[in-house]
Every structure is written in structure tokens, then in C-alpha cells.
Amino acid sequence: MANAMPTDAAVAVTYDCDARCVMCNIWKSPSTEQARPEVFGKLPSSLKTINLTGGEPTLREDLPEIVYHVKSACPASKIIISTNGLQPKKISLMLREILKHDPKIGVGISVDGVGKMHDAMRGVKGAFDKAMETLDLLKMEGVRNLRLAFTATSRNLSHLERVLRLTRQKKIELTCAVAQNSEHYFQTDANTSIEDFSELKRQFDALISTQLKGRHPKRWARAYFARGLYEFAANKKRPLKCGAGSDFFFLDPTGDVYCCNVLPEVMGNLAKDDFATLWTSERAASARERVARCKGGCWMVCTARTAMQQHPISVGRWILLSKALRTLGKRSFLR
């Protein structure tokens, strides 16, 4: 099944960025060649979930055209645009045009704390207020699939519960990640482990408890994912096997296809080849062998989603047990 078509992808349309994030060095990189919008129309129709990311994707003036090509190539896919929300009016006008191509498109706005904490994490004064303005404007434009995306580090971990409360006030979803390293994506190896395990456990227990309380199975799945984030942050172990290079791939702005966001293994270039050719190439097979030997691992939603879908019994068992324990009054779900 190594050559089966993938179902998930993270697609970086640009590495240009107007933020100065402390956990990512993409913004320090010089501008790189960017694939033409038509290249994104070569994505495989098998994709079910596509994250259009960067850098800051809305810095590409042709993002609406890119969405058109992606949706045309992958009509059954759910597309999410990840943005820092630093240019509210521009992003709002751009989404007005994008909604014509995909009325169900989702938008994830990065928020790594409340107020000055988020400003410090993103390295931009007023970043939090701009993110909130972007959220409000996108609601007015009719974007229904909205979420805040929190990246946890030792510096902002204490704000996770505050951002969770904020999403409840705004009646939107929360996605969470732990800062990780990558030479080709985040372009840094400076992210260190979170060492305050008691605070880590407290914050993630609160997150898991809140997600389990919800009635929607997607929130229960996010509770399991949060459990995996804690396990990875605390023990550097992922609870389920990785399917990078098989179920998932990462596409960079030049068209290079990687197994994932972390391993620097290029499988081919979409601007030069059709997807089926590069996906079944010897170079791709070699990259998958590197994935099989990967010991450091990661736990990101891009590869965790497909792993969870392929292990429904393990995931479902944990969810049912945890929901039952929560009903009985338990509020701690982590060891």
C-alpha cells in the first residue's frame, strides 16, 4: 500500500511572512521561487484535507486563483487556510473572492495567547487585536468554518486555557500544536521541550476535559489528539504509527514534495512531474524508507489525523473510557 494515493496534505504556497514568530524562522528566509497557481491544480484528487499555509498565504495576491485550482483538482477536499490575521481588511476582501470558489472553506487564525502574550509570540505589536478583527470580519463575510490555532511553548503554555475560553466565547473551534523543529519548514532547531510538566499536564487536562464535554465526535477526536500532544511533549513518543509519505505529504512553495513537515526528504517536484509519477518514483520509495527509520518523530495534526482514522478502535476505546470517567467526575486524563 506504499504507493496508494494520499488523503492529507499541507501546502505552503509561500515562505514570505509578515510576522516575526519566536518558534519559527521562516520570516528570516529570503524570498524563494513560488510555483504558479496552475501547479496546485496537479494535486491528487484523492486528497480529503488540505491545509494551505506558509509563511503567510494571504501575502500571495493570487491566493484566490490557487484555491480555484486546488478545489478543481480535489473537489471532495476540505480546504483550510492558515493565517496570522495581521492584515484584517486585506484578508477579508481576499476571502470574499475565495468563497466564490469554495463556499465551505475553513480558516484557522493563529492565536498563541491573549493580548500582549500573543503579540510577543508573533513579534508584532497589536497582533492580537488584528487577529480578533480578522475573525470578526471573516464572520461577517460568511466564513462558517473558523478556528483559532494555538502553538504551545514554555513561554506561552499558561495561556492555553485562556485561548480555549476565548474560542468558547467566540463560538468557534480550537486547534493546538506544540512547537517542533524542522530544517526545511519551520527552519529552526531552537524549539526546546516544555519542562514544566505539572503546568503542561494541568493545561492539557483542562483542554481534554472541555473537548470531551462537547457533543460532536470531532471534539472528542481533538481530545485524543491533545492527549497525543501531551505524550509527545512529555515523553517524545507518538501514540500511533506515522503515515508520512504514504497518507500525507508536504508541498513547499517551489513545488518540492516532502514526506512531511519535519524530515528533509524530497520525493519529487510537482512543477516538473505529474503527481502519480513522483509518488511512485524510486526517490519517493527512498524517502519512505527514511520515514520508517524515523526515531525522533512528531505529533502534528497533519499526520496524526490519518493515523487516528486508521486506528478507530484504539482511538474510540480511549474516548469512550475518558468520557465515562469525566461523567463520573474525573478531570485528569493524563499520566
Side-chain angles (χ1 to χ4, degrees):
M1 295 297 291
N3 294 336
M5 288 292 103
T7 58
D8 283 43
V11 177
V13 299
T14 182
Y15 279 159
D16 294 341
C17 192
D18 49 356
R20 300 292 181 264
C21 303
V22 300
M23 68 298 234
C24 173
N25 285 336
I26 287 178
W27 58 273
K28 294 181 179 180
S29 301
S31 294
T32 60
E33 174 189 354
Q34 296 179 352
R36 301 185 312 276
E38 308 87 67
V39 172
F40 301 98
K42 298 169 72 175
L43 291 170
S45 60
S46 59
L47 292 178
K48 297 179 181 179
T49 304
I50 303 171
N51 180 9
L52 296 182
T53 184
E56 172 51 41
T58 62
L59 291 182
R60 282 199 66 157
E61 301 297 334
D62 57 0
L63 184 61
E65 187 179 354
I66 291 173
V67 172
Y68 166 76
H69 284 288
V70 172
K71 195 63 180 178
S72 297
C74 313
S77 65
K78 295 180 180 178
I79 303 174
I80 302 292
I81 297 174
S82 295
T83 178
N84 56 34
L86 290 179
Q87 300 189 49
K89 291 182 174 57
K90 176 183 178 180
I91 294 170
S92 174
L93 291 173
M94 188 170 280
L95 261 295
R96 184 180 300 175
E97 187 66 23
I98 288 173
L99 285 168
K100 297 176 183 177
H101 304 310
D102 186 358
K104 295 183 178 180
I105 199 151
V107 179
I109 304 172
S110 297
V111 172
D112 301 321
V114 174
K116 293 182 179 179
M117 174 59 79
H118 177 66
D119 293 2
M121 293 295 295
R122 293 284 153 174
V124 178
K125 186 177 181 180
F128 178 77
D129 291 338
K130 291 175 181 177
M132 292 300 99
E133 183 182 354
T134 296
L135 174 61
D136 292 339
L137 287 175
L138 292 186
K139 282 185 175 181
M140 292 174 61
E141 290 295 342
V143 181
R144 297 289 174 250
N145 183 2
L146 288 166
R147 63 195 66 177
L148 298 185
F150 182 94
T151 300
T153 69
S154 294
R155 184 172 181 176
N156 69 331
L157 180 61
S158 63
H159 273 241
L160 174 55
E161 200 168 3
R162 302 185 199 185
V163 175
L164 177 60
R165 287 199 299 268
L166 179 62
T167 61
R168 294 296 174 258
Q169 293 168 8
K170 297 289 186 178
K171 297 181 179 180
I172 59 174
E173 297 299 322
L174 172 71
T175 61
C176 189
V178 172
Q180 298 180 49
N181 296 313
S182 168
E183 66 178 66
H184 68 279
Y185 184 44
F186 304 117
Q187 299 180 23
T188 182
D189 59 0
N191 288 314
T192 57
S193 301
I194 297 174
E195 297 179 353
D196 189 345
F197 293 123
S198 60
E199 180 65 9
L200 181 71
K201 185 175 184 299
R202 190 184 74 79
Q203 290 287 338
F204 275 87
D205 265 329
L207 174 60
I208 290 169
S209 180
T210 300
Q211 299 288 38
L212 288 173
K213 182 181 179 181
R215 297 181 179 180
H216 200 290
K218 184 176 287 188
R219 287 191 177 178
W220 307 342
R222 285 179 177 151
Y224 182 91
F225 174 71
R227 173 244 182 173
L229 278 177
Y230 172 82
E231 291 294 333
F232 182 80
N235 305 310
K236 293 301 177 190
K237 293 181 180 179
R238 55 180 293 141
L240 299 173
K241 184 180 178 181
C242 178
S246 298
D247 309 316
F248 168 85
F249 66 89
F250 168 72
L251 179 67
D252 84 357
T254 71
D256 277 343
V257 174
Y258 292 80
C259 286
C260 67
N261 313 49
V262 175
L263 292 177
E265 296 292 327
V266 179
M267 307 174 79
N269 186 282
L270 194 58
K272 299 176 182 178
D273 294 308
D274 66 89
F275 190 86
T277 297
L278 74 83
W279 195 248
T280 56
S281 66
E282 291 185 7
R283 191 177 185 185
S286 176
R288 291 188 187 99
E289 290 177 2
R290 172 73 186 277
V291 171
R293 298 192 302 269
C294 179
K295 295 181 179 180
C298 67
W299 185 251
M300 301 184 195
V301 69
C302 50
T303 53
R305 183 189 294 109
T306 52
M308 289 165 61
Q309 291 170 348
Q310 292 176 7
H311 295 84
I313 295 177
S314 296
V315 175
R317 184 186 298 118
W318 181 89
I319 289 173
L320 289 174
L321 176 60
S322 298
K323 282 185 69 67
L325 291 173
R326 192 187 186 285
T327 301
L328 294 173
K330 185 177 178 64
R331 293 296 182 269
S332 180
F333 306 92
L334 301 168
R335 291 177 292 179

